[in-house]
Amino acid sequence: MSYELRHSETLGHNLGRICGKQIESAITVAKGETKTDDTPVHEMRKHLKKSRAALRLVRKEIGRGLYRSQDHGLRDVGWLTSEIRDAEVRLQMVRELQEVTRRDGRGTYGNLEMMLTVELENFMAAFTEWQTQAIPLLEKAVSAVDCWTVDHFSCKQLRCAVQASYKCARKALATATADPTTENFHQFRTRAKTLWYQLRILRPVNPVVLKALSDDLHSLGDLLGRAHDLSFLGERLRSEHGKSKWQREGQRLLAVIEVSQSDLQRGAAELAEHFFAERPRDSGSRVASWLQEWECKSSDSVAEALVT
């Protein structure tokens, strides 16, 4: 797979290839050259997150200036489409909740769905030129990958970078647990998702264990993502308080959101406490041992190829 380490490349070249490929994929989505299962905005933003997770692994080695320039450029592309994506999420959540209430024989949210549909259409019309702004930024970012000074990027450096991501996520979890606000859980979700992408990159070094760890983080991310989307929709509905056309629907839906969000956050916290029980140093040591073994196999493969 393209989002994984390969034996045939050095670690530095692996990460450059991975990051560059994700940015190139984002460009093809922005240009409309790729068919996607999801909306173009959502698909492009996924590529941005994956590229930034790979970029973060080499931030110390390529230098603060280049890292900040490239990371901020990718972040700015995401900001270009944030209003559209936010509107997509709100509408999607109402539709999902409406399907649940229909099955249960309860009232539906037709007025709210109509309002959010119009809102999404308005945002898409207002930001219709986002591609023309995004493509030059993405092309600049992919060109910057060629400037990376990672020819001698080592297993130790990679282990330190992954360990730092684990430590950041663990710290964010502690903050969210101590003060369970929506913002704190969102910050934890962001850190956990970065680590998830990085573990996917590392998967070939220990396929069985890292697949299990990645799956656990994916499940955790799904819980946190749904809780965040519910909270996000709730904030939007509260801003409409007093507008009679959908006030009754909004109040009914807010009650569902508050209960569901609390349950999701509690479930995510329990799963996360188990996942992040290990100390960062111990987690880093495990990664280091896997990388050393993988590097030895890589060297053996290269030696065999030279002999033949």
Side-chain angles (χ1 to χ4, degrees):
M1 294 180 65
S2 63
Y3 201 70
E4 290 182 350
L5 296 177
R6 294 175 180 170
H7 271 137
S8 58
E9 300 172 336
T10 65
L11 287 176
H13 290 163
N14 262 298
L15 296 174
R17 168 185 56 79
I18 288 168
C19 185
K21 178 63 177 177
Q22 292 304 313
I23 301 173
E24 289 171 356
S25 296
I27 292 173
T28 62
V29 173
K31 289 182 175 180
E33 298 174 353
T34 302
K35 291 183 178 180
T36 62
D37 295 331
D38 214 314
T39 67
V41 165
H42 189 207
E43 195 69 23
M44 185 194 70
R45 289 167 67 89
K46 285 194 291 186
H47 289 302
L48 294 178
K49 291 174 184 176
K50 292 168 77 173
S51 62
R52 293 180 73 187
L55 173 63
R56 191 171 180 80
L57 291 171
V58 297
R59 66 189 187 282
K60 290 185 177 180
E61 286 64 43
I62 66 176
R64 182 177 181 180
L66 179 56
Y67 168 74
R68 286 174 61 88
S69 174
Q70 197 169 5
D71 185 62
H72 288 184
L74 295 172
R75 178 201 63 188
D76 291 345
V77 174
W79 282 353
L80 288 174
T81 57
S82 61
E83 296 283 5
I84 296 175
R85 182 54 192 160
D86 291 348
E88 288 178 347
V89 167
R90 289 190 291 263
L91 179 57
Q92 179 181 344
M93 286 306 305
V94 166
R95 286 175 172 169
E96 289 180 7
L97 291 169
Q98 183 151 254
E99 285 300 314
V100 173
T101 56
R102 279 174 177 164
R103 289 196 299 268
D104 294 343
R106 291 178 284 167
T108 58
Y109 311 109
N111 288 325
L112 283 171
E113 182 179 1
M114 185 180 302
M115 177 194 77
L116 294 175
T117 299
V118 171
E119 187 172 85
L120 173 58
E121 292 171 350
N122 289 338
F123 278 124
M124 292 180 68
F127 296 96
T128 187
E129 298 297 324
W130 68 264
Q131 292 97 330
T132 60
Q133 299 177 61
I135 291 170
L137 292 173
L138 291 170
E139 290 175 339
K140 181 180 178 181
V142 77
S143 296
V145 175
D146 294 333
C147 301
W148 287 11
T149 52
V150 291
D151 289 343
H152 303 290
F153 189 75
S154 67
C155 286
K156 181 179 179 180
Q157 290 168 315
L158 180 55
R159 184 267 295 171
C160 288
V162 175
Q163 181 176 325
S165 294
Y166 178 92
K167 186 176 181 179
C168 285
R170 194 172 187 255
K171 184 177 179 180
L173 170 62
T175 300
T177 302
D179 183 18
T181 64
T182 298
E183 178 59 28
N184 285 341
F185 269 104
H186 177 61
Q187 289 299 321
F188 169 55
R189 177 196 176 207
T190 300
R191 300 298 187 190
K193 181 165 282 191
T194 296
L195 179 62
W196 174 53
Y197 284 133
Q198 292 173 351
L199 292 184
R200 287 177 59 185
I201 291 173
L202 291 180
R203 187 175 294 179
V205 308
N206 194 325
V208 175
V209 175
L210 282 169
K211 183 181 185 306
L213 291 175
S214 296
D215 289 347
D216 286 345
L217 269 183
H218 189 207
S219 298
L220 173 61
D222 284 346
L223 291 173
L224 291 170
R226 190 163 181 82
H228 177 263
D229 292 348
L230 285 169
S231 173
F232 196 54
L233 174 60
E235 291 178 5
R236 179 68 183 87
L237 296 179
R238 292 184 189 95
S239 71
E240 293 293 326
H241 180 71
K243 298 184 179 181
S244 59
K245 187 175 181 179
W246 43 73
Q247 183 175 7
R248 182 175 298 178
E249 289 183 7
Q251 290 300 318
R252 191 167 64 242
L253 186 53
L254 277 171
V256 175
I257 288 173
E258 290 172 1
V259 173
S260 299
Q261 180 188 355
S262 178
D263 289 344
L264 288 165
Q265 287 179 342
R266 184 164 50 253
E270 290 174 358
L271 180 58
E273 289 287 355
H274 175 73
F275 185 93
F276 289 99
E278 192 173 38
R279 294 184 307 172
R281 183 181 301 178
D282 294 335
S283 175
S285 295
R286 282 205 299 159
V287 171
S289 65
W290 297 336
L291 283 169
Q292 288 170 2
E293 184 177 351
W294 184 80
E295 189 175 42
C296 288
K297 291 180 180 178
S298 178
S299 298
D300 292 343
S301 297
V302 172
E304 289 174 4
L306 291 174
V307 170
T308 57

